[in-house]
Amino acid sequence: MTLTRVIALALLAAAPSTLMAQDLASAIRDAGGSFDLMIEDAMLVDGTGAAPIQADILVEGDRIAFIGDVPKGAARADRTIAAAGRTVSPGFIDTHTHANPLADSFDGFLAMGVTTVILGQDGRSANITTSDAPSSPERDLGEWLGKVEAKGVQLNVAVLTGHGTIRHLAGIPDSARGLTAEQQTRMNAILIDELRAGSFGLSTGLEYVPGRYAETAELVPLAKLVADAEGVIISHMRTEDDGQVEGAVQELVDYGANARIQASHLKIVFGKGPETAQRLLSFITEKQRGGARLSADVYPYTAGYGGLGLIFPEWALSPANYTDVVKTRRAELLAYLKARMTKRGGPGALLFGSPPLAGKTLADISAEQGKPFEEVLLALGPDGAHGAHFIMDEAVQDLLVASPLTAISTDGGPSIRHPRGTGTYARLIEHYVEGTRALTLQEAVRKSSSLPAAAMGFSDRGIVRVGAKADLLLFDPAKVRAKSDYLKPYELAQGFDVVIVNGRVARENGATSVGRHGKVLRRTQSR
């Protein structure tokens, strides 16, 4: 049994005991003779990785009250769903999501079986989306969570505090590297307040501004605060390039200390061949054996998604004045962009997702405008567009996805033009379970439920057991389909027949419920 599975099972097994009974007679008595929901004749895949078993499931309120054989007529329920041998599993937990729950719909996530999302990624807090964070009306995390709660959410929402955001809130210039004691103290105080308000920990985006300017020493005291709060650090690491990604993981381990730490959307940019993936996975295993509470997540696609800043040199990024850079270093910048984009697969490997360029590659735009692709990039600038970057090798990504070390995440969102935001978990089952057979169904479910639950510190979600929250899916694996692609990124997944959030049906037969059955999860209330 792998270390990650041991950690997951130990955490979930240590969940607080409840008054709900393990035997049917006691469960009926405790429910007052009738249940809210009964699922009959299911093939239960419980999220632990154990082999499927046939079972009936009784739900009372937002929790699972009984799992086992319920003879016909032995229990009453307000609603009975006939599974007819279809799979019942825990709802999926996406540890890397980009969304605004006050404005966005989560239909695409529910359609692919996601019942819990973690927001505030890449060093950017979910409650502050502007660069002038100190003056944001959503500055107070507790108040913002209250607004989300009052509006209602379609699925469960948890948040992280963005390192880049609290840097802005502390009044630290983007380019600052070595912080003063006063600056560090201001950052620490903001993080403490947010952890108390319910943040589950810290996210870092060390490849982006301002995280790229942060020295490792700046992150150490923040990580200690997260560890003391039993929180988690989820990191978009400083680099994902072949030959350097292990060093980025090591940096995460170095500053993460005793906190739970997760390397997000694991990939090896420019890496080729299975041996490259095995090297990285072996490195992660070595860190785990050395005592690091390290996990990782991955999505089943070979293109990332991000801004053009990923292609530009640091000296052309904020806080540099880009207009001045173009005037004074134009030839140098053009040479850099040409070499960098060529290394990343050429102009055909960048598919724009931002209007008015959406759906066209850099090569397309270059041909339309009749000028070299590097000139197109120069004119757009590092903040001029977002797109899908086809920078991963399929053989490498397949091994990262199939590894027992990695959880599955989307790194997607309702407005991001990438199929991972609507297809990730459907593709996992359609391609890796039913297609290549690289994964068993129970392993795919574990990687999408109990493994991410353990990383987040959830003790009552991610597993189907008596007393756990009733976040459940009902589906036939052979009928699950990922319908979205890079040109049609918003097509909803098919095949997840019933999606249950906190004991209530949130989506059924291809339609989302008008109700909002999700919960705003707070770290201090989720243990």
Side-chain angles (χ1 to χ4, degrees), residues 391-406:
I391 48 177
M392 288 103 83
D393 179 65
E394 187 171 4
V396 171
Q397 207 65 9
D398 282 350
L399 281 176
L400 296 182
V401 169
S403 169
L405 297 176
T406 58

Side-chain angles (χ1 to χ4, degrees), residues 153-178:
V153 283
Q154 295 168 291
L155 40 61
N156 304 308
V157 170
V159 299
L160 300 170
T161 294
H163 161 254
T165 297
I166 62 174
R167 232 181 179 251
H168 286 156
L169 291 172
I172 299 169
D174 282 349
S175 60
R177 295 187 184 271

